[in-house]
Amino acid sequence: MGGNKIVVYKEPGVVAVEDHDIPKLEVPTDVAKAKGLTQKAVHGVILKNIATNICGSDQHMVRGRTTAPPGQTLGHEITGEIIEKGEDVQFLQVGDIVTVPFNIACGRCRNCRDGQTGVCLNVNPARAGSAYGYVDMGGWEGGQAEFVMVPFADFNLLKFPDRDQALEKILDLTMLSDIFPTGYHGAFTAGVTTGSTVYVAGAGPVGLAAAYSAQLLGAAVVIVGDRNADRLAQARSFGCETVDISLGATLEDQIAEILGTNEVDCAVDAVGFEASGHGRDAGEAPATVLNSVMTLTRAGGRLGIPGLYVTGDPGAPDEDAKQGTLKVRLGLGWAKSHTFTTGQCPVLKYNRGLMMSILHDKAHIARAVNATVIPLDDAPRGYQEFDQGAARKYVLNPHGMIPQNN
């Protein structure tokens, strides 16, 4: 092997593809020291990445809306082939094709044992929970790269049963690392079930995945709200109703036009902290989606909140929001006895079941999110087009193992 091309954040609005060293079977130094781990990762593997995707949460960093430093490596949606493994990896083999949960989890701590792999206690000195290539997440190298190291491999990785089938369905299977489980988590924790009426805020890839997941869970009507016409059209392409929040009509009135009532059984916030207010000229309003979904959801309903909220946002519109303090109408949610579920999706809770749905042709998530394959070297273009509102989910193709479809 030669070097390792990897996508790097340079400054707000700018990413580059740079040459780094090939990853080693080693835990980041800060994690090892703080958590008492051996630096040699005998439990880890090196992957040759087959597919690695651009995520909306990456965009928050690239826009300068987090405390990510220049030089931060990027990427946490990884599907790859094992090319090297540590001597303590017992149940995986070189040549296996696997999906990598974006959560890095040890499999040994209290939270991992409880299935809360999004908040592992042993992989990040700064807080509970970690991810590849993300700010304040422990310094693990990003996966928008040719190669990546995955620790605690027996616990974290999900092997695809058949190599040829995996390569045939790779555009769907690559969504298992984050977007499909995250969207499903949003819908599942919102209580979507047979006959539900559901509002999904945001028609980006996570919102589309949540809407598609709501359909898989049996929803009667799924309504997706956004201000981007192309993304709303993408939601309609697989049977969703849509509302345009840039119009003068209120969100409640638009919902009532569809359902005959201005409330839904449950709702999903797939937007997060960079939300915009209602109306054509509305500016940024970080709490607006949270307040909208509480307004729209019936008393006793549930809210799934996979949209990202941060503790530090240098570009926020006011001083409170810069610290993650938002003007949320908690009294409204309390009065309506709403249940909220927030935080990182624990991918391992869902990825095997969703894999089986893909392998047996019950789920076609790549079509729903408009998966678009581009070379790794074109990552800067993918980031730029995604930031401009492209109704696509960009899949990077580091080794040319998947067909180009752009």
Side-chain angles (χ1 to χ4, degrees), residues 88-101:
D88 195 40
V89 177
Q90 302 292 312
F91 306 109
L92 296 164
Q93 305 302 325
V94 170
D96 288 346
I97 296 180
V98 295
T99 179
V100 185

Side-chain angles (χ1 to χ4, degrees), residues 274-311:
E274 285 194 70
S276 297
H278 186 87
R280 187 168 303 279
D281 299 318
E284 190 170 315
T288 190
V289 172
L290 292 171
N291 291 327
S292 292
V293 294
M294 284 189 286
T295 300
L296 293 172
T297 302
R298 67 173 179 85
R302 303 173 70 93
L303 310 175
I305 309 174
L308 177 67
Y309 289 87
V310 296
T311 55

Side-chain angles (χ1 to χ4, degrees), residues 369-388:
V369 301
N370 195 17
T372 302
V373 181
I374 62 174
L376 180 65
D377 285 336
D378 281 358
R381 171 172 68 88
Y383 270 94
Q384 183 179 46
E385 292 178 2
F386 188 26
D387 190 50
Q388 292 170 349

